[in-house]
Amino acid sequence: MPARNDPQVYARRLRAVLISSIPVLEARGIVIVLMAGVVGVIAGAVVTGMSALVQGMHYLLFDVQPGGRLSAMFSLADPVQAMFPAIGGLLLGLSVIWLRKRKFRTPVDPIEANALYGGRMSLTDTFIIVAQTMISSGFGASVGLEAGYTQIGSGIASRLARAFHLRRNDVRILVGCGAAGAIAAAFDAPLTGAFYGFELVIGIYSVANVAPVMTAAISASLTAEVFGGVPFPLELSGLPNLTASEYVPFLLLGLLGGAASIAIMHLVSIVERVFVRLSIDASARPFIGGIFVGLLGLVTPQVLSSGHGALHREFAMNYALPVVASVFVMKLAASAISLGSGFRGGLFFASLFLGALLGKVFAGVMALTAPSAGIDPAVAAVVGMTSLAVGVVGGPLTMTFLALESTRDLTLTGVVLAASIMSAILVRETFGYSFSTWRFHLRGETIRSAHDVGWMRSLTVGSMMRKDVRTIPASTTLAEFRKEVPLGSGQRVIAVEQADQYVGMLLVPELHSDRSDGDMPVSALAHFKDAVLVPSMNVQTAAETFQRTGAEELAVVEDFDERIVLGLLTESHLMRRYAEELDKARRDLSGEG
């Protein structure tokens, strides 16, 4: 294997950048590729700097020696150090109070930005998230820095793209480039970073997007190496050759990894609900959570921070099954408490460490119950690492390439991909969310990926409705209605009470053909009395209302309480406008027009 600083390695990577840029020169323009390269360089430098600062905090607070890792320590040097997660929580609580006084909104991350806002991200939000993430991890909370990495990479990319007034889809691509560069720099894994950008932030893989995303990922990885970034490779040796017939136990492990990821996400939300039910203010929760995390850190520092050192130690040493299982339970508890109590960060690396522990537990149990299966603990650890992370983070190809680039062993690729797909299928069919989109769901958002649905929210009922609608008092008799609204003068009239309050929809042909007494009020023949639309509804919500009620047209009212009639919207017009906007979005995505 060539040395990391071998000039031939750099030459091969630079050639890969040039070769991958050729299609985009024709399709999207060299400017996007050049900007992606700049974004990658910035992401690589910033990620390296953030990592160095957090390592410096660990050196000052926990006496971690240069080159060492907090989670690799066998014990804390001083029991007093167990207080630092609580102190970090106190600082976070103060930041919550400060942000609350200034009425800051909930920060937008890259996935949400690309799904709803055309890639627009606030640098203020970005720096808040980065600072809170560094405090959380620096003081030992059981969270990773990857959320901060992708936030700042994507945030800078978004600002750069908007400074050049790029179109919506190009902004979204550069946001994906920023995230791809951040992950590539964090793990020294360009392919992992690129597919993280494709699968999780851009939401789609296309040939036109390959050049900018790969350029950003490789540029970031090279930059991190130049600035002394710490690589992530797992040194594994003596792995057995695996055939397709030996995949079955590992497919089972993939399903277990998916199930464990669902349990982890539920556990985080359970911790949050406990704090809410106890009526503990959000500013005090990180301090309380930090106390519990510090107590777990007294038992083993492996539960602290992201777990880089602990993961490498787990692969390097062969612990007994009870030890591995106990570390798994404590790390799971520490991560859930950290995130549920309000520490800022993510589960990216924590899920890798937990998955490796799950794989070791699986291998140990199989050795006791079915020794003839011959499950290799190192292979099981890698498969567990990726399958659990797929369920939490999403992106089976992302995790497969991480396993390939970190172990540099092609033997594992097939079984890792198969197990990752099993995990992804289980999570998608039974749960439907990754950790990021699950957090959106808890906030009331409906997005499940980074696919651009923001245009659907801008296509509202208020922008589509007709305002020139005819109304008639609901007390009008049937005979009077027939005189005032002759057959053929229109298809529908809205019945209202005084002050234009909605009563129901009147179908003109139906009222003219009805044989009821002419003295009957038209309100008795009104349809859809309880079904209305409001101007703020987006096209998706309106379409669901039409489908639920079976109506072809619905009245638009000011609000659900007063129900003052503003206009009318037909289902046919709504679907036509939806088709037009969808076609436009597809053209933007493919680079046409």
Side-chain angles (χ1 to χ4, degrees):
M1 183 184 303
R4 289 174 54 78
N5 295 323
D6 188 341
Q8 293 181 357
V9 175
Y10 288 92
R12 284 197 298 270
R13 291 188 175 181
L14 288 173
R15 282 199 299 272
V17 173
L18 294 176
I19 292 171
S20 64
S21 298
I22 291 174
V24 91
L25 298 182
E26 303 175 58
R28 306 193 69 82
I30 193 171
V31 173
I32 303 299
V33 179
L34 293 176
M35 292 179 69
V38 172
V39 166
V41 171
I42 295 173
V46 173
V47 165
T48 306
M50 288 176 60
S51 177
L53 285 173
V54 170
Q55 285 298 103
M57 294 174 68
H58 290 169
Y59 170 76
L60 293 173
L61 299 176
F62 297 97
D63 297 326
V64 177
Q65 296 306 305
R69 293 282 188 173
L70 172 59
S71 60
M73 299 173 64
F74 287 94
S75 63
L76 295 177
D78 188 335
V80 176
Q81 293 171 342
M83 297 173 54
F84 287 125
I87 295 173
L90 183 62
L91 293 176
L92 276 182
L94 293 174
S95 73
V96 169
I97 295 174
W98 183 80
L99 293 172
R100 184 186 295 162
K101 287 183 177 179
R102 284 155 181 78
K103 298 181 179 179
F104 275 91
R105 66 173 189 178
T106 302
V108 174
D109 78 354
I111 297 175
E112 187 177 6
N114 265 7
L116 301 179
Y117 306 112
R120 295 188 301 275
M121 296 177 65
S122 164
L123 282 180
T124 302
D125 288 357
T126 293
F127 292 133
I128 289 172
I129 289 178
V130 168
Q132 290 181 332
T133 302
M134 292 178 65
I135 291 173
S136 299
S137 186
F139 278 84
S142 190
V143 294
L145 285 168
E146 290 76 22
Y149 291 158
T150 56
Q151 183 75 28
I152 195 164
S154 296
I156 292 173
S158 175
R159 189 68 189 87
L160 180 64
R162 288 183 290 125
F164 281 84
H165 303 289
L166 298 183
R167 62 185 183 180
R168 181 186 183 97
N169 196 56
D170 290 335
V171 176
R172 295 180 71 254
I173 289 173
L174 280 183
V175 168
C177 289
I183 296 299
F187 292 94
D188 189 26
L191 288 173
T192 301
F195 276 87
Y196 182 93
F198 287 133
E199 292 186 297
L200 301 174
V201 181
I202 298 176
I204 190 172
Y205 172 89
S206 69
V207 174
N209 296 345
V210 171
V213 175
M214 284 302 302
T215 299
I218 296 174
S219 299
S221 184
L222 289 172
T223 303
E225 290 184 5
V226 170
F227 283 99
V230 179
F232 177 66
L234 300 172
E235 300 299 334
L236 303 178
S237 59
L239 295 178
N241 292 322
L242 297 171
T243 62
S245 62
E246 298 173 304
Y247 281 15
V248 175
F250 296 110
L251 295 180
L252 174 60
L253 177 55
L255 292 174
L256 290 175
S261 68
I262 295 172
I264 291 169
M265 290 183 275
H266 275 303
L267 186 58
V268 172
S269 62
I270 288 172
V271 173
E272 289 180 336
R273 288 199 296 270
V274 168
F275 279 108
V276 171
R277 289 179 181 176
L278 293 176
S279 301
I280 299 174
D281 189 78
S283 60
R285 295 172 193 173
F287 174 74
I288 298 172
I291 293 174
F292 287 103
V293 172
L295 292 175
L296 291 170
L298 277 176
V299 180
T300 173
Q302 291 186 72
V303 304
L304 300 178
S305 195
S306 59
H308 281 75
L311 178 63
H312 283 81
R313 199 172 100 186
E314 193 62 40
F315 278 100
M317 305 181 73
N318 189 21
Y319 292 104
L321 178 58
V323 175
V324 177
S326 63
V327 173
F328 176 84
V329 172
M330 286 188 289
K331 178 64 177 179
L332 175 60
S335 295
I337 291 171
S338 295
L339 290 170
S341 63
F343 279 99
R344 178 71 72 175
L347 280 175
F348 191 114
F349 207 94
S351 65
L352 294 176
F353 180 39
L354 286 167
L357 293 171
L358 178 66
K360 284 289 188 78
V361 171
F362 178 79
V365 172
M366 289 294 289
L368 295 174
T369 58
S372 60
I375 302 297
D376 185 273
V379 175
V382 174
V383 173
M385 177 182 79
T386 53
S387 60
L388 194 149
V390 164
V392 171
V393 179
L397 290 177
T398 299
M399 294 306 163
T400 299
F401 280 117
L402 178 60
L404 175 61
E405 292 181 290
S406 60
T407 63
R408 300 183 176 94
D409 193 316
L410 284 170
T411 306
L412 288 174
T413 304
V415 66
V416 165
L417 179 59
S420 296
I421 291 173
M422 295 298 292
S423 174
I425 291 174
L426 177 67
V427 173
R428 184 179 68 245
E429 297 300 326
T430 62
F431 190 64
Y433 300 92
S434 66
F435 180 68
S436 296
T437 53
W438 173 238
R439 306 284 284 177
F440 298 147
H441 170 73
L442 294 178
R443 280 172 25 204
E445 292 286 358
T446 57
I447 59 175
R448 292 175 181 260
S449 72
H451 285 286
D452 189 6
V453 296
W455 61 269
M456 293 178 62
R457 297 200 170 190
S458 63
L459 189 60
T460 62
V461 167
S463 67
M464 294 184 289
M465 70 178 186
R466 288 176 46 197
K467 296 181 180 179
D468 57 334
V469 295
R470 186 170 184 177
T471 60
I472 195 168
S475 58
T476 303
T477 65
L478 188 57
E480 291 172 337
F481 177 88
R482 290 168 178 167
K483 291 179 181 179
E484 291 187 29
V485 187
L487 186 63
S489 62
Q491 291 295 316
R492 59 193 69 85
V493 177
I494 297 177
V496 296
E497 294 178 337
Q498 53 184 328
D500 285 339
Q501 289 181 315
Y502 177 77
V503 173
M505 186 72 65
L506 302 174
L507 304 181
V508 176
E510 179 181 310
L511 267 67
H512 275 275
S513 62
D514 192 278
R515 297 182 179 180
S516 301
D517 184 4
D519 293 331
M520 175 187 292
V522 292
S523 59
L525 299 175
H527 295 273
F528 313 120
K529 295 180 179 180
D530 298 321
V532 291
L533 305 173
V534 294
S536 60
M537 281 183 174
N538 62 47
V539 62
Q540 182 179 12
T541 307
E544 290 172 353
T545 304
F546 276 111
Q547 183 177 15
R548 183 178 67 253
T549 60
E552 295 182 0
E553 59 281 303
L554 288 173
V556 182
V557 299
E558 188 172 336
D559 57 59
F560 289 114
D561 295 325
E562 297 297 330
R563 292 161 63 99
I564 305 299
V565 174
L566 300 178
L568 181 139
L569 181 64
T570 64
E571 185 181 26
S572 60
H573 181 67
L574 177 141
M575 298 309 295
R576 183 168 62 252
R577 287 294 310 277
Y578 172 79
E580 290 171 355
E581 294 296 328
L582 181 61
D583 185 58
K584 179 182 175 182
R586 286 171 175 168
R587 287 200 306 271
D588 288 343
L589 188 62
S590 63
E592 299 174 5

